[in-house]
Amino acid sequence: MDPFLIRTLEFILAITILVALHEGGHFFFAKLFGVRVNKFYVFFDYKFSLFSTKFNWWRKLRGKVDKDGNVIPAKKDKDGNYEYEGTEYGIGWIPLGGYCQIEGMIDETQHDVEKLKEPAKPWEFRGKPTWQRLLIMIGGVLVNFLLALVIYCAVFFAWGEEYYALKDMPYGMKFNEMAQSYGFRDGDKLIGTEKGDFREFSANMLRDISTAKEVRVNRQGKEVKVQLPGDISLLDMLKTDPVFCRPFVPADIDTVIPQSSAAKAGLMKGDRIVAIDSTKVDSWNSFSYETGRIADALADCKTKTDSAKVLTKAIVYKRGEKLDTAKVLFVPQEDSPSGVVMGVGMTTIGKYMKPTHIDYNVLTCIPAGVGYAMDMLGGYVSDLKYVFTSEGAKSLGGFGAIGSMFPPVWDWYMFWMMTAFLSIILAFMNILPIPALDGGHVLFLLYEMIFRRKPSDKFMVYAEYVGMGILLLLMVVANLNDILRYFGLM
């Protein structure tokens, strides 16, 4: 199956689960406290829906339809209002979220201020005590966070945990120019900082380095301390190409694709690439960097002759103890990380060392899962400060960026790990004090609890409009970034 299609299906399934359970959190507390929920939708149903349990709006407002198609008038209560017929459940066609339309609540689904001038009904959101309304509003965030905990615990129980210990990396790390300017050297094995030892190569490791005053490394068998300023920008560490550091993986060819340029040039599995033309290559890290430069040069070519010249390279390789050279024609390929390929598979760090594997039982998986979830949340919150910089705004990603985080082949382990991570993001983003988000409603409810008075309905309506405007602007910026990155303009 096409990788794009697989990623799309994974993304849609994950978002469906997260949105349904998030809105289910609001729904649960609303029903618990006797608040009517008019509509419960996964995805938005502007103009029409893909699925709905209600026949149509006529049935909802005027009555039910019998088997012969006749309308049975709905009963009215003593105040002349139509009786509540239950919740309309459905699936919309716009996968930007979902909603739970709660009776008597000002949100993005209803702004009927005139109706709110009437006395609050017992079944309305606005007629309930503040503490009940607060629980209804945080229900979605609570469910998303608990979902992440459950998924991480279940994943650790089912698959265990596997990682490559940094201190045991046989070839150490490959550092970029920025890292080397601070004193790191290719081949250094990272041990830890003044805060503690490293465990594995991860975002948390890079965060620790960014705030460290010193990093301990094993350099040719001796422990060396690299002094750092303690305030390196994590964004700067990641945005450079190549990134701050990566595990050092020799450029040993793992596979050669039949009929590819590499196969036609005589390259074989086990050959070690040592240079491209006159540029030394000591690892797959530097190989990827050089092939990226080929792709950049290709973009400036005006003629086919120029393109062929740029794409034809002399690959110097080592077979056993013998050096040889092969002329290889690289082929442009958009879905390749570097943009061009020659038809070889790269070795990974797993070829040179065994991973550390940890199994968990029913009891031990709980603290492991909770701890992992808290680390992910802490890292995400810590990185949020970069969003308010110009470079951080450029790093925002929309649906394309999120979808690309899923694996190109169906992998349940990675699917659930990504779903749990997105659940944490959804929980945190929704609790931000922005009108139209759950956090905005919570902020106004806290105001009411402290000052013993509600914000006016008119203020709440305008606040919703402002909040929706902010969210739409962020969505446009994030997805525009995806488009610009796709076309190579960012």
Side-chain angles (χ1 to χ4, degrees), residues 294-334:
I294 295 172
D296 292 340
L298 181 64
D300 296 329
C301 292
K302 305 297 183 183
T303 66
K304 290 184 178 180
T305 302
D306 292 339
S307 298
K309 193 173 182 180
V310 167
L311 291 171
T312 303
K313 296 294 178 181
I315 302 297
V316 182
Y317 63 95
K318 190 174 183 180
R319 183 174 295 167
E321 297 299 321
K322 181 182 177 182
L323 281 176
D324 207 342
T325 303
K327 284 285 185 181
V328 176
L329 178 66
F330 282 82
V331 178
Q333 185 170 309
E334 289 185 2

Side-chain angles (χ1 to χ4, degrees), residues 196-235:
D197 290 348
F198 296 129
R199 193 182 82 150
E200 60 184 315
F201 178 80
S202 66
N204 281 335
M205 180 211 76
L206 293 174
R207 288 189 192 97
D208 288 344
I209 292 177
S210 71
T211 58
K213 291 291 185 180
E214 66 177 30
V215 174
R216 291 173 287 115
V217 302
N218 181 331
R219 183 174 295 168
Q220 297 179 345
K222 296 182 179 179
E223 184 172 304
V224 176
K225 293 182 179 179
V226 178
Q227 303 301 318
L228 298 177
D231 59 353
I232 303 175
S233 168
L234 180 62
L235 195 61

Side-chain angles (χ1 to χ4, degrees), residues 33-102:
F33 300 131
V35 178
R36 290 180 177 178
V37 180
N38 295 325
K39 299 177 76 174
F40 181 97
Y41 265 77
V42 176
F43 305 151
F44 294 119
D45 59 325
Y46 180 71
K47 298 296 185 182
F48 69 94
S49 62
L50 300 178
F51 168 79
S52 173
T53 58
K54 294 293 184 181
F55 182 74
N56 54 29
W57 66 272
W58 178 263
R59 175 183 176 186
K60 180 180 178 183
L61 296 179
R62 298 297 300 276
K64 299 180 181 179
V65 180
D66 63 19
K67 62 180 180 179
D68 298 319
N70 300 312
V71 176
I72 303 174
K75 295 179 181 179
K76 294 183 179 181
D77 60 23
K78 63 181 180 179
D79 298 319
N81 299 311
Y82 286 107
E83 289 186 347
Y84 177 60
E85 293 186 353
T87 304
E88 177 183 335
Y89 302 91
I91 299 175
W93 62 275
I94 307 176
L96 301 181
Y99 67 93
C100 190
Q101 191 182 72
I102 298 172

